[in-house]
Amino acid sequence: MRLQKYMADAGVASRRACEELIRQGRVKVNGCTASVGMSVENGDTVEVDGKTVSYTEEKVILMLNKPLGVICTMEDPQGRKTIAEVFKDIPYRVYNVGRLDINSEGLLLVTNDGDLAYRLMHPKYMINKTYFVVCDGQVSPSEREHLQKGVLLEDGMTAPTRVEKVNYNPKTGRSSLYITIHEGKNRQVRRMLAAIGHNTLRLKRVGFGGLTLGKLRPGEWRKLTGDEIDMLNKAVGEIK
């Protein structure tokens, strides 16, 4: 098995992130510094930053309703609360599938299945992500159409989106809407709204690949059901 796949399956990080760890010289196999693409076998000892990687065949996929103020990293030098703290008592080394920034909330998947995580994040599989957004000002019909056709950002044009349930409250001077994207550009929804002249005041992910938060309250998490896992695997192609 390729080393980066072994590490991803063990829940170290995504395959791409594991490759970067290897390039940085932070990974050793049987005491020797590893290289990208090398293979490992049963009985080999793999270490990351001096800590032995424990490989398990059991895969878990968890859904978290991420609260505001929690960051999507395993550790933070500034001492802010991380998702690692949320899952510190589970017997798996897991990492998040994509990110929600500190000021965003909602549905976040966490797993030790590196292959599935990689596919769910890859834009070619076009996994839909739906957000509930509150922004300042009134989103006009023409602006809605602009969002749906695609917005030019500094890193390129966004793909067409779906924008639904646009409502304007004249008392608060704010609009609410649901927007569905399948890309994963950094802070994409916020930047799309800014590009048409609106500041995002609230951003909550409410859907991911057919999954919804349901009754999960902020800070709560649960394991996905077998049917939900099958649905995700079908969306990205069966993983061998």
Side-chain angles (χ1 to χ4, degrees):
M1 180 186 296
R2 296 287 186 181
L3 175 58
Q4 55 267 34
K5 175 173 168 51
Y6 176 97
M7 292 169 60
D9 287 351
V12 175
S14 68
R15 279 190 291 177
R16 191 170 299 174
C18 288
E19 289 177 358
E20 185 59 29
L21 289 172
I22 297 169
R23 290 190 186 95
Q24 293 172 1
R26 297 167 59 184
V27 182
K28 290 186 177 182
V29 176
N30 300 326
C32 298
T33 301
S35 58
V36 174
M38 70 181 299
S39 298
V40 292
E41 301 176 351
N42 289 336
D44 287 338
T45 299
V46 178
E47 297 174 285
V48 179
D49 294 333
K51 297 180 180 179
T52 302
V53 173
S54 298
Y55 182 84
T56 176
E57 292 289 346
E58 184 179 5
K59 300 295 190 296
V60 294
I61 308 174
L62 313 175
M63 180 194 297
L64 168 69
N65 186 347
K66 188 192 90 69
L68 294 172
V70 175
I71 61 173
C72 294
T73 59
M74 292 298 109
E75 56 185 32
D76 180 55
Q78 299 180 41
R80 296 170 295 183
K81 187 173 183 179
T82 70
I83 62 166
E85 296 175 52
V86 176
F87 297 104
K88 63 183 179 181
D89 294 326
I90 67 172
Y92 308 96
R93 184 172 182 174
V94 294
Y95 55 95
N96 44 289
V97 180
R99 293 176 181 267
L100 289 172
D101 64 48
I102 192 170
N103 295 316
S104 300
E105 57 188 311
L107 198 163
L108 182 73
L109 295 183
V110 179
T111 186
N112 63 350
D113 188 335
D115 277 331
L116 179 59
Y118 173 79
R119 295 187 183 205
L120 288 173
M121 289 186 287
H122 200 291
K124 78 175 183 179
Y125 293 101
M126 300 181 69
I127 301 300
N128 283 336
K129 297 173 280 289
T130 301
Y131 299 83
F132 171 70
V133 184
V134 177
C135 65
D136 62 3
Q138 182 175 11
V139 176
S140 67
S142 62
E143 290 173 334
R144 174 181 178 173
E145 185 177 2
H146 191 177
L147 290 172
Q148 291 185 137
K149 288 184 175 180
V151 177
L152 181 60
L153 304 177
E154 59 269 23
D155 52 350
M157 182 70 73
T158 63
T161 66
R162 186 167 71 244
V163 181
E164 302 172 294
K165 299 179 181 179
V166 180
N167 290 299
Y168 174 65
N169 186 333
K171 292 182 178 180
T172 63
R174 297 177 176 182
S175 294
S176 64
L177 61 139
Y178 288 83
I179 181 168
T180 299
I181 64 175
H182 65 259
E183 298 173 289
K185 296 178 185 293
N186 185 43
R187 298 171 63 85
Q188 179 173 336
V189 174
R190 292 181 185 275
R191 292 192 293 140
M192 290 177 70
L193 268 294
I196 62 169
H198 298 280
N199 293 316
T200 298
L201 306 175
R202 185 185 182 193
L203 183 65
K204 180 177 182 179
R205 184 191 284 161
V206 296
F208 189 109
L211 301 172
T212 60
L213 281 172
K215 297 181 179 179
L216 273 187
R217 294 179 295 184
E220 291 184 339
W221 62 269
R222 67 171 178 84
K223 287 186 177 181
L224 295 193
T225 66
D227 287 343
E228 289 172 331
I229 294 172
D230 288 344
M231 178 178 65
L232 292 180
N233 278 317
K234 184 177 180 179
V236 299
E238 291 296 331
I239 299 173
K240 305 299 184 180

